[in-house]
Amino acid sequence: MRLAPLFAAPPIALGIAVAVWLISSAPGPDRIESAAPALPVRVITAASEIIRPTINVWGNLRAADTWVAVAEVQGEVIWRHPDLEPGRLIPAGTEVLRIDPADYELALAQAQADLLAFNAESAQLATEATNTARILELERERLVLAEAELERISTLAAQETISQSRADDAERATLLARRTVAELENSLALIPPREARITAQIARSEAAIARALRALEHTEIRTPFDLRVTEVAAERFQTVAPGQVVVRANGIAAAEVVAHLPIDSFRGLFGDTSDTISVSEMMLSAMPFTQVDVVLSPLSDPSQIWSAHISRVEGALDARARTVPVVVVVDDPYAGANPPSRLPLVPNMQVLISFEGEPLTDAVVLPETALHGGMVRVLGHGGLLELRPVSVALSQNGRIVIADGIEPGDIVVIDDIAPAIPGMALTAIEVHQ
């Protein structure tokens, strides 16, 4: 019984030795080389095409011309045009209000009478000056004779040929002649100041006449252009004061709307695809507004199409919204109006404005989804991903125009890859734009 374990041990040890030998001599597993699978993505082939920059924005119409009639004289309204009511159309040159002119007619008559009186006084003074000058000339001649006579008599008196009383009489006559000449000279010297005073009075009368005539003109209020009345603040028999607003109206020759265009779209609209010129410089320079076609349609009836044109760019940019205020004008906004089928363009009407610039030729256009933070993903050599920086010239309707960075023939990835690692393998699935 003791000999059984001794006979069982050798077979177990022999089995273990055989197993060790088999494991150590067996060949190892084959190593298989493998790479990450290529990621399938949708791609398009970049190609050049012709695209026309287009921008659509909303805006509210306003009248291009407005008229605020202000009373310039005081008085009672004695006549009012029967069509002077809000909403009515009134042609240019129509008298719409008349203020009582009686006070200004009286002022005019008084000023004209004063002018006649001063003119008569001026003529009288001219005659007086002429007569005084003629008399002065005669008195001077008489003075010369009197002085000669005085000299002769004084000589005779010195020789005691005549009496001294005779000499005194001659001297008194000479002094009287000198006094007369002096008085006439003084009278002539006073004539110019009198003429100046009369001239000033004439000028004042003429000014009073002009003021009265101007006041009479302002008693009639006429329309300066074809317009539509919006407000009337004066009634018949009402007294108005200078500075009082009596009528408000809008011109009907043209309507305008301010379109706030994004700065980048504003650049692209005029074909400026670079940043070398600032928007302020573009606004100060002569903009080629004629290169842009503009149409608008009312929100109430989008089927109505009105031709328009760019008039100007307003002076201040909207810094917060980064927009350029472009003023668009529609000529004759009442042309063809036939309510309710075709409404005229009136203030505060909301309209859609469409801008179309000159076509861009040889433009590389991509979907907006191809742009990722200023980079475009390109399928490069060997089917590997490339990240290429680009500059965008224009963005509209979900498409972008590439100014630099992509050439026709490049294969552009339009799928969003996360993460996008340069050099990763891609499998292209071609789609058409």
Side-chain angles (χ1 to χ4, degrees), residues 86-386:
R88 294 290 183 87
L89 299 177
I90 300 180
T94 302
E95 182 183 2
V96 292
L97 283 176
R98 187 181 306 155
I99 300 172
D100 188 1
D103 292 341
Y104 308 104
E105 290 173 345
L106 291 175
L108 175 62
Q110 181 179 352
Q112 289 173 337
D114 291 341
L115 180 61
L116 290 175
F118 292 132
N119 284 331
E121 187 175 349
S122 177
Q124 179 181 355
L125 184 61
T127 303
E128 181 180 340
T130 302
N131 293 337
T132 302
R134 187 180 302 113
I135 295 172
L136 176 60
E137 183 180 356
L138 295 175
E139 290 297 329
R140 283 173 176 170
E141 292 177 356
R142 189 174 70 171
L143 176 59
V144 170
L145 293 176
E147 288 178 343
E149 179 68 14
L150 176 60
E151 183 178 359
R152 186 181 68 80
I153 291 177
S154 297
T155 303
L156 292 176
Q159 296 174 356
E160 298 181 354
T161 304
I162 60 175
S163 63
Q164 184 61 37
S165 60
R166 179 80 179 273
D168 293 341
D169 292 339
E171 186 174 357
R172 280 193 294 269
T174 302
L175 291 174
L176 181 60
R178 288 175 181 172
R179 177 182 175 182
T180 302
V181 169
E183 289 176 350
L184 292 173
E185 289 176 344
N186 290 336
S187 297
L188 282 178
L190 292 175
I191 286 178
R194 293 171 61 190
E195 287 180 342
R197 180 178 60 83
I198 294 175
T199 300
Q201 290 173 330
I202 290 175
R204 185 171 60 183
S205 298
E206 290 175 343
I209 291 173
R211 185 166 53 252
L213 290 174
R214 181 176 174 81
L216 282 173
E217 291 178 357
H218 290 157
T219 59
E220 297 180 359
I221 299 178
R222 297 180 178 272
T223 55
F225 43 75
D226 296 341
L227 51 78
R228 185 174 189 175
V229 180
T230 59
E231 180 186 349
V232 181
E235 301 292 340
R236 193 178 176 188
F237 307 121
Q238 175 187 351
T239 299
V240 295
Q244 178 180 339
V245 176
V246 292
V247 180
R248 296 180 188 270
N250 295 324
I252 62 174
E256 65 182 23
V257 58
V258 179
H260 294 272
L261 304 183
I263 292 178
D264 293 338
S265 300
F266 180 76
R267 288 180 179 277
L269 191 64
F270 294 98
D272 179 25
T273 60
S274 66
D275 292 332
T276 56
I277 302 177
S278 66
V279 175
S280 59
E281 290 174 337
M282 294 177 66
M283 293 173 64
L284 291 174
S285 62
M287 296 300 300
F289 292 146
T290 56
Q291 297 179 3
V292 179
D293 296 331
V294 186
V295 296
L296 57 82
S297 57
L299 176 62
S300 58
D301 187 1
S303 63
Q304 294 186 28
I305 302 297
W306 296 77
S307 297
H309 60 89
I310 298 177
S311 171
R312 63 191 183 278
V313 176
E314 290 190 340
L317 299 179
D318 190 334
R320 179 174 299 178
R322 290 185 57 79
T323 57
V324 180
V326 178
V327 180
V328 174
V329 174
V330 181
D331 296 324
D332 201 0
Y334 284 75
N338 186 22
S341 59
R342 183 176 175 84
L343 298 175
L345 299 180
V346 296
N348 298 323
M349 177 182 286
Q350 192 173 20
V351 293
L352 175 66
I353 311 106
S354 298
F355 299 84
E356 291 188 351
E358 288 190 340
L360 301 176
T361 59
D362 299 329
V364 178
V365 183
L366 299 176
E368 223 169 29
T369 55
L371 184 66
H372 303 275
M375 309 287 287
V376 170
R377 298 162 183 176
V378 177
L379 186 64
H381 181 69
L384 303 181
L385 177 64
E386 295 179 9

